[in-house]
């Protein structure tokens, strides 16, 4: 049997809601800055041991549901073919090179240029000494792929990353074996579950401009392939096409863990998740707008704040974050971003039910980053997106107040972030 | 020709080149593009608004934006980090030669 991964057939897009799916599984693009920062946020909140366990479990679950949808559509029949599909798709999504040498009872997997470990080493390797492994996502994929390949229920096997490039090893190695503890069953949060929650979509101001740029950028993203390492390097960052469920499950599981064990720190945890959104907006949005690709598509940034806000809305849509619309804007004072749903809120309602307050943390942090990029970055000077620039924008006294006034997670018809200037 | 690290450049991979000569963006891109092809680069462009030329031995890329005349040199990641600025410099000199422009100054690499 010939394995066929027909990207065009497996990929689908809901244009009115700007959600992307691969094999009916919600997917989004994120860069390594956000990926590393969010993982670090979970590490800080739970401690590295518990965090690695949680992140590995979440990746295991997310990849199990994903591969269960994907593999039957590729023509793969034998376990070897199914494992091969998992390896190919993992690299095609920009996660690096994973090799699975596993049987039904487990075995070894190896990783080279794995997105998390490799980019951690690139970004922090010379400055920071890491003490725990970095590749929970690859570990989760490896164990899930083995279970799917051998028709095993989720949680039959367990995985541990034994060596990691982020710890100085030449290669990442994963040991997979029979699970000692059962994994609680879970339902997938796929396209069907997401669509069930979506109400009517809507547009906002500057819709024609946002739509045109978003369409061009999304089409361009569709043409980008990973390199021979299984990495996607573009816009000055390493890009992944990632399972939205992974981001959501690590974020909300950590958040509710904190709520149970240290309720006084709940708000702090929310702030940390929002800060991860700042990282995303600053690095990914900033990197895209500063890139030649953007210049060819939308023109060189002129320094007009509105132009940046329009551009960021288009980027949010193209990355699969949701139908970001501008509802109100007064320069230097007020900005309202509204969406009929985000990849965070639709997941939250499906998995955790209704919340008492907004749960779109990436959305909140990303919106503040948009406003800062629009008003505080001198685009004419062609800035470098350095840690120093990040600190100058996001540390120190807050100049803006951000509030999620509406959220699908708390039963509203849409998600809305209001950013308002504080003081002068 | 001037050369400096491009925004979002990590590990000395991305460089911006700016010619001294006052050429219109499209003319500039056409002239450089043709010269690159004549010198063995391969046209890897997928869009008309972003021209990408790749050198065949080490796979460095020259990216051109016809709308604005922006030139970006992308050094291949297999080049060791300490050598990347010199590779970028050498490519920038090559571009300057294509245009009949002056070479960049080495101190611009810092």
């Amino acid at each position: 049997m010939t394995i066929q991964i027909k990207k065009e057939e497996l990929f689908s897009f809901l244009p009115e809601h700007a959600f992307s799916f691969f094999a009916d599984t919600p997917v989004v693009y994120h860069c390594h800055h956000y990926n590393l920062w969010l993982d670090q946020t979970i590490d800080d909140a739970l401690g590295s041991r518990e965090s690695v366990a949680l992140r590995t479990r979440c990746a295991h679950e997310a990849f199990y549901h994903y591969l269960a949808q994907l593999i039957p559509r590729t023509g793969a029949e034998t376990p070897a073919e199914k494992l091969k599909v998992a390896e190919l798709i993992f690299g095609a999504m920009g996660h690096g090179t994973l090799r699975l040498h596993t049987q039904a009872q487990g075995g070894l997997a190896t990783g080279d240029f794995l997105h998390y470990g490799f980019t951690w080493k690139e970004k922090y390797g010379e400055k920071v000494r890491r003490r725990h492994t970095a590749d929970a996502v690859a570990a989760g994929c490896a164990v899930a792929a083995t279970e799917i390949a051998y028709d095993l229920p989720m949680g039959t096997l367990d995985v541990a990353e034994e060596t990691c490039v982020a710890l100085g090893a030449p290669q990442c190695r994963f040991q997979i074996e029979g699970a000692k503890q059962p994994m609680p069953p879970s339902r997938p949060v796929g396209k069907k579950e997401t669509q069930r929650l979506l109400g009517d979509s809507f547009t906002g101001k500057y819709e024609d401009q946002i739509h045109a740029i978003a369409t061009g950028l999304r089409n361009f993203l569709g043409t980008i392939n990973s390199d021979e390492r299984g990495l996607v390097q573009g816009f000055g960052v390493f890009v992944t096409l990632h399972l939205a469920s992974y981001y959501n499950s690590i974020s909300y599981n950590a958040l509710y863990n904190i709520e149970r064990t240290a309720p006084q720190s709940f708000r702090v945890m929310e702030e940390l998740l929002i800060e991860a959104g700042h990282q995303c907006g600053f690095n990914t949005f900033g990197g895209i707008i500063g890139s030649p690709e953007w210049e060819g598509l939308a023109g060189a940034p002129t320094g007009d704040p509105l132009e940046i806000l329009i551009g960021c809305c288009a980027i949010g849509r193209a990355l699969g974050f949701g139908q970001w619309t501008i509802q109100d804007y007064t320069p230097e004072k007020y900005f309202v971003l509204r969406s009929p749903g985000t990849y965070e809120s639709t997941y939250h309602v499906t998995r955790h039910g209704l919340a008492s307050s907004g749960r779109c943390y990436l959305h909140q942090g990303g919106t503040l980053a948009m406003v800062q990029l629009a008003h505080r970055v001198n685009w004419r000077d062609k800035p470098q997106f350095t840690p120093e620039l990040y600190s100058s924008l996001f540390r120190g006294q807050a100049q803006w107040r951000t509030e999620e006034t509406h959220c699908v997670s708390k039963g509203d018809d849409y998600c809305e972030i209001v950013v308002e200037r504080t003081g002068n | 020709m001037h050369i400096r690290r491009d925004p979002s450049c990590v590990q000395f991979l991305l460089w911006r080149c700016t010619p001294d000569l006052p050429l219109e963006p499209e003319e500039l891109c056409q002239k450089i593009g043709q010269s690159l092809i004549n010198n063995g680069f391969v046209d890897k462009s997928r869009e008309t608004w972003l021209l990408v030329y790749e050198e065949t031995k080490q796979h460095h890329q020259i990216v051109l934006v016809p709308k604005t005349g922006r030139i970006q040199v992308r050094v291949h990641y297999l080049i060791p980090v300490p050598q990347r600025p010199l590779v970028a410099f050498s490519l920038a000199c090559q571009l300057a030669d294509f245009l009949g422009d002056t070479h960049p100054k080495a101190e611009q690499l810092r």
Side-chain angles (χ1 to χ4, degrees):
Chain A
M1 186 74 197
T2 312
I3 300 169
Q4 288 187 312
I5 302 176
K6 292 182 179 169
K7 209 167 131 185
E8 303 73 24
E9 287 178 18
L10 291 164
F11 194 85
S12 61
F13 183 66
L14 296 182
E16 290 187 345
H17 291 87
F19 285 136
S20 299
F21 303 89
F22 201 81
D24 291 338
T25 303
V27 288
V28 289
Y29 290 98
H30 268 298
C31 80
H32 72 288
H33 297 288
Y34 176 74
N35 289 340
L36 296 177
W37 192 274
L38 184 61
D39 270 15
Q40 182 64 50
T41 298
I42 310 301
D43 292 353
D44 292 344
L46 304 181
S48 56
R49 191 187 169 100
E50 199 175 332
S51 173
V52 169
L54 171 69
R55 291 187 285 105
T56 305
R57 195 168 66 245
C58 291
H60 183 165
E61 184 186 318
F63 272 96
Y64 188 92
H65 292 310
Y66 172 53
L67 295 173
Q69 290 290 322
L70 171 73
I71 287 176
R73 303 183 199 185
T74 62
E77 289 177 347
T78 66
E81 287 172 345
K82 292 175 183 176
L83 292 172
K84 190 71 194 166
V85 169
E87 290 176 359
L88 289 172
I89 209 71
F90 191 76
M93 293 169 76
H95 287 283
T97 304
L98 187 62
R99 296 279 177 256
L100 303 167
H101 315 281
T102 51
Q103 303 293 323
Q105 62 276 22
L108 180 73
T110 59
D112 294 289
F113 304 107
L114 295 178
H115 173 82
Y116 282 85
F118 178 75
T119 63
W120 187 91
K121 197 175 168 190
E122 287 267 307
K123 183 169 181 176
Y124 300 114
E126 287 177 8
K127 300 172 211 152
V128 183
R129 187 170 170 204
R130 192 178 173 101
R131 296 179 190 280
H132 59 281
T133 57
D135 301 292
V137 167
C141 178
V143 68
T146 305
E147 289 173 344
I148 294 287
Y150 293 96
D151 297 323
L152 301 171
M154 184 172 70
T156 308
L157 301 171
D158 205 350
V159 62
E161 186 172 11
E162 296 192 323
T163 66
C164 177
V165 293
L167 300 178
Q171 187 182 51
C172 300
R173 292 166 73 88
F174 305 89
Q175 192 64 45
I176 295 163
E177 57 189 25
K180 293 182 182 70
Q181 287 183 327
M183 197 168 167
S186 71
R187 288 180 298 118
V189 182
K191 186 176 183 179
K192 201 171 53 184
E193 291 75 15
T194 305
Q195 277 181 305
R196 198 177 294 148
L197 280 167
L198 296 174
D200 291 340
S201 188
F202 46 78
T203 57
K205 295 183 172 181
Y206 321 108
E207 180 58 28
D208 289 350
Q209 289 160 271
I210 295 170
H211 178 75
I213 301 171
T215 304
L217 184 58
R218 195 167 54 79
N219 290 342
F220 180 75
L221 286 169
T223 67
I224 295 178
N225 294 316
S226 56
D227 60 27
E228 55 272 32
R229 299 170 295 180
L231 296 173
V232 176
Q233 209 164 0
F235 310 111
V237 295
F238 290 94
V239 183
T240 52
L241 181 65
H242 214 321
L243 306 178
S245 286
Y246 174 72
Y247 297 119
N248 289 321
S249 58
I250 63 171
S251 300
Y252 296 132
N253 276 310
L255 180 73
Y256 290 126
N257 181 310
I258 292 291
E259 187 179 46
R260 281 192 304 275
T261 57
Q264 71 281 6
S265 300
F266 185 79
R267 184 60 198 154
V268 175
M269 185 65 200
E270 287 189 301
E271 292 291 346
L272 290 172
L273 294 172
I274 291 168
E275 189 173 2
H278 299 163
Q279 286 281 338
C280 167
F282 175 79
N283 288 295
T284 313
F285 290 35
I288 290 175
I289 293 173
S291 70
E293 288 85 350
W294 185 264
E295 216 166 290
L297 187 65
T302 63
D304 176 5
L306 177 60
E307 177 193 275
I308 299 298
L309 294 172
I310 287 170
C312 287
C313 266
I315 294 168
R317 292 186 191 185
L319 299 181
F321 294 177
Q323 174 80 352
W324 288 12
T325 68
I326 297 175
Q327 294 299 321
D328 203 352
Y329 172 57
T330 308
E332 293 284 354
K333 285 188 179 166
Y334 191 65
F335 177 64
V336 180
L337 186 80
R338 190 182 294 169
S339 170
T342 69
Y343 75 82
E344 297 174 286
S345 59
T346 49
Y347 177 94
H348 189 280
V349 175
T350 308
R351 266 297 166 82
H352 299 279
L354 291 180
S356 55
S357 58
R359 289 289 185 268
C360 297
Y361 301 116
L362 176 278
H363 200 185
Q364 291 179 47
T367 309
L368 177 61
M370 288 167 66
V371 172
Q372 288 285 62
L373 289 175
H375 294 91
R376 297 287 169 269
V377 171
N378 187 348
W379 291 95
R380 286 179 178 276
D381 284 353
K382 303 174 179 63
Q384 301 270 350
F385 285 86
T386 59
E388 292 73 30
L389 179 59
Y390 178 84
S391 294
S392 75
L393 296 180
F394 295 99
R395 306 256 191 257
Q397 200 174 1
Q399 293 180 317
W400 304 92
R401 188 167 56 85
T402 307
E403 187 186 359
E404 187 169 23
T405 56
H406 295 73
C407 184
V408 170
S409 298
K410 58 188 180 87
D412 295 323
D413 291 337
Y414 52 85
C415 302
E416 180 180 270
I417 315 293
V418 175
V419 183
E420 207 167 359
R421 187 73 192 265
T422 58
N424 293 319
Chain B
M1 181 74 77
H2 290 263
I3 184 168
R4 58 170 280 200
R5 287 178 69 188
D6 218 333
S8 302
C9 171
V10 284
Q11 307 274 16
F12 305 101
L13 289 169
L14 304 177
W15 298 81
R16 179 188 286 250
C17 292
T18 312
D20 286 323
L21 298 173
L23 291 168
E24 286 300 313
E26 288 210 10
E27 185 190 355
L28 175 78
C29 293
Q30 201 172 18
K31 208 165 177 180
I32 292 178
Q34 194 54 55
S35 303
L36 289 168
I37 295 289
N38 293 345
N39 282 272
F41 281 69
V42 175
D43 187 348
K44 294 259 188 175
S45 311
R46 283 188 291 243
E47 309 284 352
T48 53
W49 43 264
L50 189 76
L51 307 177
V52 181
Y53 299 92
E54 188 170 291
E55 186 258 319
T56 51
K57 280 185 187 161
Q58 294 187 302
H59 306 288
H60 308 306
Q61 291 186 335
I62 308 294
V63 177
L64 308 172
V65 182
K67 195 183 277 182
T68 61
R70 178 169 173 180
I71 306 169
Q72 187 181 63
V73 170
R74 294 179 177 170
V75 178
H76 195 266
Y77 59 79
L78 282 180
I79 301 296
V81 175
Q83 292 172 27
R84 290 174 186 171
L86 286 177
V87 171
F89 186 76
S90 154
L91 288 162
C93 290
Q94 206 177 349
L95 294 176
D97 289 342
F98 293 158
L99 295 171
D101 201 354
T102 54
H103 282 193
K105 294 184 173 59
E107 55 264 30
Q108 293 167 354
L109 295 173
R110 282 193 224 112

